[in-house]
Amino acid sequence: MESSIITISREYGSGGREIARKTAEKLGIPFYDRDLIDKAAKESGFTPEFVAEREQRLGSNFLYNFALGGIYGLAYPRKPEMKELPVAEQIFLAQRKVIEDLAEQGPCIFVGRCADYILRNKPKVLKVFIYADPKARICRAVEKYGQMEEQAEELIRHIDKQRRLHYEAYTVQEWGDRNNYHLMLDSQAFGVEGCVDIICKAVLSLDKKPSP
């Protein structure tokens, strides 16, 4: 394997992060998720704690954020203008730069953070979306994440809504739309290991495909 990047988007409680981590281990490539917070903090000048708290919060005007999504797809603001943007936008732009820089260094896996959209024009990027039945996601939230069962369902809805709003604001695409991904995997049907195997086979096939 020489050139492929994998991006993994996921519903909360679907096991997407575990699938990404195990896929990275099997392929022997870096895996980036929460450590992107530290890297984005360094790029933006904010503290990691501040970035972690604010990274998926939209500004007070959703339509403003949505309109800027098209701009973000084209270019970065110049450095003097960056500080004039709302905090959420500054953090998004910092994360975008970090993702693009890491992707230039070689094969790796990114979890969430609009990486599929950010790297949409880069050749040999395998874009994956992990989902599962709501009941299976509730069970996972309780067993793996220690959530209270009576609160898990509401938490899943809340986090998925945050991810959807964040993604759709900054990409002008629909989160979870099959047209945005190469693979959409039901982790309940295939299991974590099954999803890992499928992704590994898919990325190896992608590597064999000639670059355009």
Side-chain angles (χ1 to χ4, degrees):
M1 177 175 165
E2 297 180 355
S3 58
S4 294
I5 306 291
I6 303 170
T7 67
I8 295 186
S9 305
R10 75 284 186 221
E11 293 180 335
Y12 181 74
S14 65
R17 186 176 189 277
E18 182 181 1
I19 290 167
R21 178 178 57 77
K22 290 189 173 183
T23 301
E25 291 173 356
K26 189 167 184 177
L27 294 173
I29 61 177
F31 155 68
Y32 298 110
D33 181 18
R34 292 167 188 161
D35 42 358
L36 289 173
I37 292 173
D38 292 334
K39 295 179 184 298
K42 185 176 180 180
E43 174 67 25
S44 65
F46 295 118
T47 66
E49 293 77 15
F50 185 79
V51 172
E53 180 186 357
R54 302 295 288 272
E55 66 171 341
Q56 287 194 347
R57 287 190 188 180
L58 295 176
S60 58
N61 188 329
F62 174 76
L63 292 178
Y64 171 73
N65 285 272
F66 187 87
L68 282 180
I71 298 174
Y72 295 151
L74 299 175
Y76 296 116
R78 293 188 302 275
K79 282 290 185 181
E81 296 174 352
M82 181 80 96
K83 294 181 180 179
E84 298 174 8
L85 291 171
V87 168
E89 280 67 38
Q90 293 184 48
I91 290 173
F92 174 82
L93 289 169
Q95 287 187 335
R96 176 183 168 179
K97 186 174 188 306
V98 167
I99 288 169
E100 290 184 332
D101 288 348
L102 290 171
E104 286 300 313
Q105 295 176 19
C108 59
I109 296 181
F110 295 105
V111 176
R113 295 173 176 84
C114 306
D116 61 296
Y117 179 80
I118 291 169
L119 301 175
R120 68 196 181 283
N121 295 322
K122 188 176 178 64
K124 294 192 176 181
V125 175
L126 180 68
K127 297 178 286 186
V128 181
F129 189 90
I130 307 294
Y131 66 97
D133 178 84
K135 291 182 180 179
R137 294 163 62 201
I138 290 172
C139 288
R140 185 178 185 86
V142 173
E143 294 173 4
K144 297 284 187 178
Y145 309 147
Q147 302 296 337
M148 300 289 289
E149 186 170 359
E150 58 270 23
Q151 299 173 344
E153 184 175 359
E154 179 61 31
L155 180 65
I156 285 171
R157 283 199 298 264
H158 174 71
I159 293 179
D160 278 356
K161 181 179 179 180
Q162 280 190 319
R163 289 176 179 174
R164 178 182 294 278
L165 288 175
H166 181 265
Y167 183 87
E168 294 181 0
Y170 293 117
T171 70
V172 200
Q173 292 184 166
E174 184 178 347
W175 184 72
D177 184 342
R178 64 182 178 84
N179 293 307
N180 300 327
Y181 312 96
H182 299 112
L183 282 177
M184 297 190 75
L185 298 175
D186 182 342
S187 59
Q188 181 188 16
F190 295 106
V192 169
E193 298 299 334
C195 288
V196 170
D197 288 341
I198 292 170
I199 293 170
C200 288
K201 289 177 182 177
V203 79
L204 290 174
S205 296
L206 186 65
D207 282 338
K208 295 176 183 177
K209 185 177 179 181
S211 298

